[in-house]
Structure formats: structure tokens, C-alpha cells
């Protein structure tokens, strides 16, 4: 029997949320003051599931910030008098009415975490207060199946990849605690936030009220059911994509498990989402996809595998839809199973671990799964008829400002598809060149162009292309530079152009050259 939460859902009452926000503001309950209170090392330790360093740092401190830190950040009971002194506007009874704590004559026991969450977007730096269920540290055990997750690694990843674009209507499918809806609401006139979990929607609505965000419409339902017949300029989703065995005894966590077999939920999303996009509309999501063993009788091909995860993903996308898929990492079935078993708060020391691991490995073996990829998917319904983007790539290197890089890549693709190469190009400011020479040799054996931001690409080039990039300052035209290089390298212009033009196009698409 899968455990469920023993605490009621939050009750997002506007006046009470406003009072709580006032109290938090008066206490300066924000990331930096808390970090100064208990120190950077203790703050970093909490991210690893260790709260003892914080408790030691604020031992004996009965101040307002320390009290709220223990209550909301660590999820620990606090004396009723101390909480009442910290929440002068809301009061202890108001906190209980919001569904964030239970009280008795002497103490206040939190039933939720409430933590400051910083963010950076095109408009600058900001911070929200985000409420969610108690985590495994506060619970001192495994998570219940209806757990509502706070802002985790996947949430931050999705926030980083969403393109910073102004839109009229946006959809956050599977909103959870509401962090993506809050972020998108800064650049959208209206946002619809959906979730199959009424409990998650209650947290999301409470978080919107707590942070003064009023342009979000919350709707309960599975996948696209709550928005049937509607269309959006932007759809974002961190769907419950985790591949979970469908057998008795394996917890089905609502925040990560969509109830389907294998990667079928991601397939369903990718096949369905385009119907809900406006012309030019974009859908962005995180997901997993399985690579499966080949059924080919040819041994070498069988070893390579015929059904690579990215190939399967690409086959799900309709031919009239743009696709840009990026695989960030790939795990073996064993590595994947261990990751998500631990995510539920179960370690190899727990009696249930071996049975869960066996269930996961049996499930993968039944489908011939050889690896599971994780990454980003961008879908776009083109506004015009023409060439379609089909870009599928593996990208294990560190990345930054992915949302901006995706936006640039789409714009570059549209520019080239519509008009071809620009007349003049400029080398991006973050591009550097590295040359590798064998000892005693003046001629480089390897020349690389390196991208400092965005996707952090390293691209091997030959002397002609390196020279071309070095000459792109916006003064000479593309044709003039190539003609000069043909003279320099003593090759026919037509031959050099045929060789170098496709590679110039790729550098424009990759953001190393700007039109």
C-alpha cells in the first residue's frame, strides 16, 4: 500500500496570504538574510539533505528570522509564543487556517515547507516565497505518494531553457507548486496552470497569492484535458515523465509518475502538444526517452542498437512541426533505477530497496531498454510554409542561458530558411579559437572554435574556415571574404564556396556567427 500525506491541502485564502506575505517581508525572510544568519557552508549542506549545520549555527537564537527558518525552511516544530511573535499580521490561527501548520497550546508543527526562491530572467533578479510539502529530511523517511515537490533541479532546468519571449497566452502543464507558471506570468498576459493533483494546484494558487501574481488561471485535470479546444503561444511542462514499473509495491509519486508504461507519457505529450499551439507557438518540456535493443539478426547492428532514444523521439513529432531535441545525459537501466529510488527517500540500507531495484530492472528488461536519455524538447508550429527544423543532438557539456540560445537558434534558422546567408556576418563576442600543434611543428594539427556561452560548443575547423571566422567583422561581405580566401589558398572560388558555405550556415545556426 502506497503511503499518502497525512496533512490536509493548503487553503489559499487571499487575505490570509497577503497577511503572511507582510509578515515574511517584515522579517526579511529571503535567501541572502537567511544565508548570512546561518552561514554559507550550512546553507549549502541543506541542499545535500543535512540540516544539523543550520541547527548548530542558530542554536539559542530565538529571533524572528531564526524561528521562521526552523519552522519553514527546516520544517521543524516551534514554540507557539515564538511563532506568534514572528507572525504578527497572520497569527498562529491564520497559519493553521491556510493549512500550513497544526497547532496546540504550546507548539506549532509545520505541515509544509515555505522557502525563498531566487530567480533571474530577462527583466532582472527577483525572489518568491514557494510553499510545498515537507521533504524527506523533515519527514525523516520516504515521501508520500501525493507529495508536492518544491523547486528542485528539474524545475530550475526548465526555467533555464524556457525562451524569454513575450506572449499573449501561455500554458504550464503539470504546474506542481507553480514555479513555472510564476516565471512565465512575468512575460505572458495570461497563464493557464494545470495539474492532475488538486493538492498541487492548491499549493500553486497559494504561491501565486503569496507573491502577488494574479494573471494565472488554475485548472484541475490530466494532460491537455483542461484546455481542450484552446491554443497557446507558449506551452511549458515538466511533466511526470519518470519511467516507473507498473507493478504492485512500487510507489507512484504524483509529482513524477504519469501512470503510463515506459516513456509513453513523453510520447503522448509530443504527439498531442502541437494541436494546442498557435501559428508560431512553441512548446518546451523536459523528458526521458528509452533506447531499446535491436531485433535485427545482424550481430553488429544489434550491438549498436536500432532504436536509439532520440530517433524514437523524432518519430513522434508530426512532419509539419519544428523539432529541436537536446539530450543532456544518458543513464544505464541500473543507474536510472537507483537515481529515482533514492529520489523517493529510499536508500540501499532500507529493506524495500532491493525489491524496488528488481522491479525497475525487470521492467526495463521486458522492453529491451539499454539506456534512458534525459534532455530538452522544443516543438514549434511554424507560422509559414517552408523548410522545417529537425535538429536532434547530444550535448553533455556545460551550458548557460539555454533559453536565449534556443531563441537565437530559431531566429537564425528562420533567417537562413527565408533569405539564405546574410550579406555580412560578425563573430560572436564569446567565441575564441584554440590551436593545437605537435612539438616542433608550426602548422596546427587541430583548430577549434569555442563558444563561451549558450551551448558551449567546441567545433573543429580547417584553416580556411578559421580564417573566414576571423575576418567576420561586419565590414566585408561573405562573398568578399570567401573570394579573398580562394586567392590566398590558391583554390577555385566555386570549389571553396561549395565546401565552406554549408559550414558557415552551421556556424550561424549555432550562434558563433551573427547576421
Amino acid at each position: 500500500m502506497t503511503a499518502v500525506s497525512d496533512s490536509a491541502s493548503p487553503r489559499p485564502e487571499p487575505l490570509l496570504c497577503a497577511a503572511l506575505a507582510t509578515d515574511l517581508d517584515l522579517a526579511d525572510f529571503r535567501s541572502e538574510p537567511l544565508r548570512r544568519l546561518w552561514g554559507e557552508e550550512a546553507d549549502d549542506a541543506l541542499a545535500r539533505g543535512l540540516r544539523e549545520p543550520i541547527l548548530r549555527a542558530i542554536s539559542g537564537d530565538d529571533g524572528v528570522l531564526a524561528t521562521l527558518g526552523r519552522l519553514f525552511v527546516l520544517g521543524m516544530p516551534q514554540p507557539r509564543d515564538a511563532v506568534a511573535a514572528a507572525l504578527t499580521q497572520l497569527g498562529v490561527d491564520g497559519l493553521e487556517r491556510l493549512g500550513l501548520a497544526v497547532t496546540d497550546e504550546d507548539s506549532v508543527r509545520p505541515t509544509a515547507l515555505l522557502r525563498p526562491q531566487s530567480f533571474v530572467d530577462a527583466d532582472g533578479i527577483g525572489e518568491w516565497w514557494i510553499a510545498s510539502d515537507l521533504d524527506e529530511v523533515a519527514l525523516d523517511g520516504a515521501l508520500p505518494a501525493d507529495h508536492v515537490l518544491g523547486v528542485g533541479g528539474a524545475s530550475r532546468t526548465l526555467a533555464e531553457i524556457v525562451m524569454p519571449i513575450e506572449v499573449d497566452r501561455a500554458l504550464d502543464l503539470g504546474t506542481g507548486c507553480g514555479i513555472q507558471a510564476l516565471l512565465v506570468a512575468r512575460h505572458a498576459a495570461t497563464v493557464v496552470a494545470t495539474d492532475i493533483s488538486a493538492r498541487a494546484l492548491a499549493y500553486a494558487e497559494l504561491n501565486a497569492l503569496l507573491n502577488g501574481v494574479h494573471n494565472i488561471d488554475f485548472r484541475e485535470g490530466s494532460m491537455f484535458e483542461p484546455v481542450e479546444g484552446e491554443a497557446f503561444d507558449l506551452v511549458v511542462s515538466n511533466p511526470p515523465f519518470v519511467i516507473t514499473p507498473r507493478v504492485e509495491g512500487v510507489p507512484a509519486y504524483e509529482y513524477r509518475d504519469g501512470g503510463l508504461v515506459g516513456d509513453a507519457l513523453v510520447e503522448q505529450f509530443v504527439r498531442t502538444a502541437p494541436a494546442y499551439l498557435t501559428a508560431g507557438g512553441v512548446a518546451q518540456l523536459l523528458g526521458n526517452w528509452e533506447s531499446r535493443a535491436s531485433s535485427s539478426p545482424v550481430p553488429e547492428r544489434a550491438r549498436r542498437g536500432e532504436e536509439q532514444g532520440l530517433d524514437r523521439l523524432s518519430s513522434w513529432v508530426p512532419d509539419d512541426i519544428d523539432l529541436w531535441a537536446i539530450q543532456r545525459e544518458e543513464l544505464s537501466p541500473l543507474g536510472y533505477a537507483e537515481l529515482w529510488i533514492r529520489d523517493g527517500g529510499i536508500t540501499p540500507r532500507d529493506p524495500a530497496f532491493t525489491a524496488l531495484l528488481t522491479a525497475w530492472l525487470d521492467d526495463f528488461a521486458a522492453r529491451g531498454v539499454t539506456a534512458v536519455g534525459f534532455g530538452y524538447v522544443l516543438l514549434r508550429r511554424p507560422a509559414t510554409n517552408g523548410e522545417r527544423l529537425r535538429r536532434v543532438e547530444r550535448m553533455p557539456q556545460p551550458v548557460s542561458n539555454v533559453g536565449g540560445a534556443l531563441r537565437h537558434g530559431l531566429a537564425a534558422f528562420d533567417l537562413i530558411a527565408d533569405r539564405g546567408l546574410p550579406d555580412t556576418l560578425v563573430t560572436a563576442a564569446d567565441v575564441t579559437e584554440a590551436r593545437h600543434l605537435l612539438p616542433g611543428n608550426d602548422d596546427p594539427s587541430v583548430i577549434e572554435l569555442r563558444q563561451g556561452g549558450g551551448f558551449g560548443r567546441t567545433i573543429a575547423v580547417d584553416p580556411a574556415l578559421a580564417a573566414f571566422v576571423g575576418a567576420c567583422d561586419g565590414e566585408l561581405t561573405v562573398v568578399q571574404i570567401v573570394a579573398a580566401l580562394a586567392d590566398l589558398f590558391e583554390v577555385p572560388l566555386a570549389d571553396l564556396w561549395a565546401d565552406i558555405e554549408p559550414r558557415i550556415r552551421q556556424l550561424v545556426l549555432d550562434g558563433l556567427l551573427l547576421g
Side-chain angles (χ1 to χ4, degrees):
M1 187 74 175
T2 301
V4 295
S5 176
D6 63 354
S7 58
S9 296
R11 295 179 287 276
E13 298 183 24
L15 293 180
L16 294 179
C17 287
L20 176 56
T22 298
D23 284 327
L24 297 176
D25 194 44
L26 289 171
D28 204 13
F29 185 73
R30 303 188 187 279
S31 297
E32 283 307 312
L34 287 168
R35 194 171 175 87
R36 289 195 299 269
L37 175 68
W38 48 56
E40 293 186 8
E41 186 176 23
D43 197 66
D44 292 340
L46 181 62
R48 303 191 300 273
L50 303 175
R51 66 182 183 184
E52 183 61 27
I54 289 180
L55 291 175
R56 291 173 64 88
I58 59 175
S59 176
D61 187 339
D62 297 323
V64 167
L65 193 57
T67 296
L68 293 181
R70 284 186 288 259
L71 182 74
F72 288 141
V73 176
L74 302 183
M76 299 179 63
Q78 292 296 287
R80 185 183 180 102
D81 290 346
V83 176
L87 302 178
T88 58
Q89 302 300 306
L90 178 65
V92 171
D93 291 341
L95 186 64
E96 188 165 27
R97 285 169 56 194
L98 279 175
L100 301 180
V102 293
T103 66
D104 57 31
E105 292 184 359
D106 300 318
S107 67
V108 176
R109 179 173 66 85
T111 57
L113 299 177
L114 177 58
R115 293 173 173 174
Q117 179 63 47
S118 300
F119 65 87
V120 180
D121 65 10
D123 293 337
I125 300 173
E127 190 161 66
W128 286 307
W129 295 299
I130 301 296
S132 62
D133 274 330
L134 299 174
D135 59 16
E136 61 266 29
V137 177
L139 293 171
D140 193 26
L143 300 176
D146 62 347
H147 178 79
V148 176
L149 192 67
V151 180
S155 299
R156 296 186 185 93
T157 298
L158 182 59
E160 291 170 1
I161 73 169
V162 172
M163 295 191 297
I165 53 177
E166 300 290 330
V167 298
D168 180 33
R169 301 192 75 227
L171 169 65
D172 176 18
L173 190 149
T175 191
C177 69
I179 183 64
Q180 303 303 329
L182 289 172
L183 284 164
V184 172
R186 290 167 57 82
H187 304 285
T190 59
V191 179
V192 177
T194 70
D195 206 288
I196 196 171
S197 166
R199 183 180 178 80
L201 287 172
Y203 271 114
E205 185 175 357
L206 183 144
N207 288 330
L209 291 171
L210 194 57
N211 292 286
V213 178
H214 302 290
N215 61 333
I216 305 176
D217 176 16
F218 298 95
R219 304 182 193 177
E220 184 178 351
S222 177
M223 296 296 285
F224 289 93
E225 291 174 0
V227 295
E228 186 65 37
E230 301 180 47
F232 300 89
D233 309 305
L234 176 66
V235 176
V236 301
S237 185
N238 177 18
F241 58 76
V242 175
I243 298 166
T244 306
R246 308 258 73 87
V247 296
E248 184 69 27
V250 176
Y253 295 108
E254 289 182 352
Y255 73 90
R256 74 184 201 190
D257 178 12
L260 301 181
V261 174
D263 52 18
L265 184 128
V266 174
E267 178 181 359
Q268 184 182 87
F269 184 102
V270 169
R271 290 187 184 277
T272 307
Y276 294 86
L277 295 176
T278 60
V282 171
Q284 294 186 255
L285 70 146
L286 305 181
N288 279 161
W289 35 86
E290 296 178 341
S291 292
R292 296 177 179 174
S294 171
S295 58
S296 167
V298 181
E300 185 176 349
R301 293 175 65 191
R303 283 197 301 271
R304 291 201 308 265
E306 288 292 309
E307 293 185 300
Q308 293 299 309
L310 284 172
D311 294 335
R312 297 180 63 247
L313 171 64
S314 183
S315 72
W316 302 335
V317 181
D319 292 337
D320 61 341
I321 298 299
D322 288 334
L323 166 67
W324 193 347
I326 298 171
Q327 182 167 292
R328 294 290 290 136
E329 63 179 319
E330 189 174 63
L331 294 176
S332 68
L334 175 60
Y336 188 90
E338 184 176 357
L339 171 67
W340 292 110
I341 295 170
R342 288 178 179 273
D343 178 77
I346 299 173
T347 71
R349 295 187 300 273
D350 297 314
F353 186 90
T354 299
L356 290 174
L357 182 63
T358 299
W360 245 282
L361 296 180
D362 286 348
D363 179 61
F364 284 137
R367 289 189 304 281
V369 175
T370 58
V372 181
F374 166 82
Y376 325 140
V377 181
L378 184 152
L379 307 170
R380 183 176 63 164
R381 177 173 292 283
T384 61
N385 293 323
E387 184 181 355
R388 294 291 173 261
L389 174 65
R390 285 281 159 154
R391 187 160 192 179
V392 177
E393 53 191 328
R394 293 171 175 80
M395 196 174 292
Q397 72 270 19
V399 296
S400 62
N401 188 24
V402 177
L406 288 169
R407 181 175 63 174
H408 170 85
L410 289 182
F413 173 82
D414 293 340
L415 173 66
I416 291 177
D418 183 43
R419 295 182 299 185
L421 278 175
D423 290 337
T424 60
L425 293 169
V426 177
T427 304
D430 64 345
V431 174
T432 57
E433 181 186 287
R435 293 182 173 236
H436 303 269
L437 297 86
L438 294 173
N441 195 333
D442 293 334
D443 295 324
S445 55
V446 177
I447 306 175
E448 294 175 332
L449 298 178
R450 296 177 178 174
Q451 191 177 41
F455 293 129
R457 301 180 189 274
T458 297
I459 300 172
V461 297
D462 58 21
L465 187 55
F468 177 88
V469 173
C472 286
D473 58 5
E475 296 295 328
L476 295 174
T477 68
V478 170
V479 174
Q480 287 173 329
I481 297 173
V482 175
L485 292 174
D487 289 340
L488 177 65
F489 288 99
E490 298 180 341
V491 297
L493 175 58
D495 292 348
L496 181 58
W497 179 255
D499 174 68
I500 204 173
E501 189 269 349
R503 295 186 289 151
I504 295 172
R505 282 175 175 258
Q506 193 60 51
L507 291 179
V508 174
L509 293 175
D510 289 342
L512 283 76
L513 293 175
L514 308 178

